[in-house]
Amino acid sequence: MDLSLYFSSFILGLIEGATEFLPVSSTGHLIIAAELLKFNQTSANVFEIFIQLGSILAIVVEYRKTLFKVASNALHDKTSQNFVLRLFIAFLPAAVLGLLFHKAIKAYLFSPLYVSLALILGGIVMMAIEKRPLKINTKTTNDISMMQAFKIGCAQCLSLIPGVSRAAATIMGGMLTGLNRKTATEFSFYLAIPVIAAASLFDLLKNFQDLTLQDLPIFAIGFVTAFLSAYAVIKLFIRFVATHTFIVFAWYRIILGILVFIYFSG
């Protein structure tokens, strides 16, 4: 097998894990990187979906104590039940719209030019939100109301557009509904588990026929690399948001979006 495929799978896994939980759009980065690396074989789309599960595993490992406590107490503990219910309410809007518009989004919006525009616009919106005085009244994930969870879920629908970023939509949506940065970020992490797992498994089942045994090493490299890079980023990002705004990510999005637009429109 071409060694360049192994290199590409490593790079794409690294990018996926490093960007999945940052407000910069992992899908957008993967679309751009895959185009630059000429990673376009039959299983490419399935690969990009599969490695997201490596990032999700990183969240599960990092928050394993909380997740195990919720799972083991869900049948009789009100706090655990409310936690699950909040995640379900936030998960639902994007799940419904994703099922309805999945084909159209894949067909028309998965291109570097559309991603560049979404990156730029998303960066401008992030900057506007950061400069706006926000009323913060929710400081832990257990304090999030059902209405706040629903609003965050509605904000997450914007992330169906490649380049918007699921993390950006949910974190900014959370801040607009009264969550502090750390709580909005943690809730975004938890919400990623059902959202990305459901979307990835749906696409995997739909495209399973495109896979061959020859793809296994490539998928394994991408999965492991995504897990390791995501695990490192999660720890660093939580520390970062405790003392910093997201302005640096807004500028990054705008600058990258402009560069990508210039490169792919020329």
Side-chain angles (χ1 to χ4, degrees):
M1 184 175 283
D2 189 349
L3 289 178
S4 66
L5 290 178
Y6 292 103
F7 174 75
S8 295
S9 68
F10 173 80
I11 295 298
L12 292 172
L14 191 66
I15 290 171
E16 158 59 27
T19 59
E20 181 60 59
F21 303 109
L22 301 181
V24 296
S25 180
S26 62
T27 301
H29 278 72
L30 287 176
I31 290 171
I32 295 165
E35 189 74 22
L36 292 173
L37 292 168
K38 306 300 180 187
F39 189 78
N40 52 13
Q41 69 265 33
T42 304
S43 62
N45 288 335
V46 186
F47 170 83
E48 291 169 17
I49 295 160
F50 180 78
I51 60 175
Q52 289 182 315
L53 295 175
S55 298
I56 289 303
L57 182 60
I59 285 288
V60 172
V61 171
E62 174 63 18
Y63 290 98
R64 59 191 179 279
K65 291 182 180 179
T66 299
L67 294 172
F68 178 78
K69 182 180 178 181
V70 169
S72 59
N73 295 333
L75 292 178
H76 53 80
D77 180 63
K78 191 68 174 177
T79 300
S80 297
Q81 291 170 355
N82 286 337
F83 181 86
V84 173
L85 184 57
R86 281 191 290 268
L87 287 181
F88 178 73
I89 289 171
F91 162 81
L92 207 53
V96 172
L97 287 183
L99 285 172
L100 292 174
F101 298 105
H102 179 267
K103 286 185 178 179
I105 291 169
K106 286 269 188 180
Y108 299 110
L109 298 182
F110 270 60
S111 75
L113 282 178
Y114 281 115
V115 168
S116 69
L117 294 175
L119 285 169
I120 294 168
L121 291 174
I124 293 170
V125 171
M126 283 177 63
M127 203 169 291
I129 292 172
E130 280 289 7
K131 292 182 178 299
R132 174 182 176 180
L134 299 174
K135 184 179 179 182
I136 303 300
N137 52 33
T138 306
K139 297 181 180 179
T140 72
T141 53
N142 285 334
D143 294 329
I144 298 172
S145 70
M146 299 303 169
M147 182 53 69
Q148 284 175 314
F150 177 71
K151 289 178 179 178
I152 293 169
C154 291
Q156 184 175 232
C157 293
L158 295 171
S159 68
L160 293 171
I161 302 170
V164 168
S165 167
R166 190 203 62 81
T170 52
I171 294 172
M172 293 295 112
M175 288 171 60
L176 285 173
T177 62
L179 280 61
N180 64 20
R181 283 188 185 83
K182 188 173 183 295
T183 301
T185 301
E186 287 185 342
F187 190 70
S188 174
F189 286 172
Y190 289 128
L191 185 56
I193 298 172
V195 169
I196 297 176
S200 298
L201 291 173
F202 174 79
D203 266 338
L204 281 173
L205 290 173
K206 191 176 179 181
N207 298 283
F208 190 75
Q209 70 278 0
D210 293 333
L211 300 179
T212 67
L213 286 176
Q214 290 181 324
D215 294 321
L216 188 59
I218 297 174
F219 278 53
I221 291 170
F223 182 91
V224 172
T225 308
F227 167 76
L228 293 174
S229 57
Y231 190 68
V233 166
I234 290 165
K235 290 179 172 292
L236 294 172
F237 191 42
I238 282 293
R239 292 176 194 164
F240 178 88
V241 299
T243 54
H244 297 78
T245 70
F246 294 121
I247 292 292
V248 63
F249 294 107
W251 277 117
Y252 170 81
R253 290 176 62 106
I254 293 169
I255 293 169
L256 177 64
I258 292 171
L259 292 175
V260 170
F261 183 83
I262 292 171
Y263 181 85
F264 285 100
S265 63

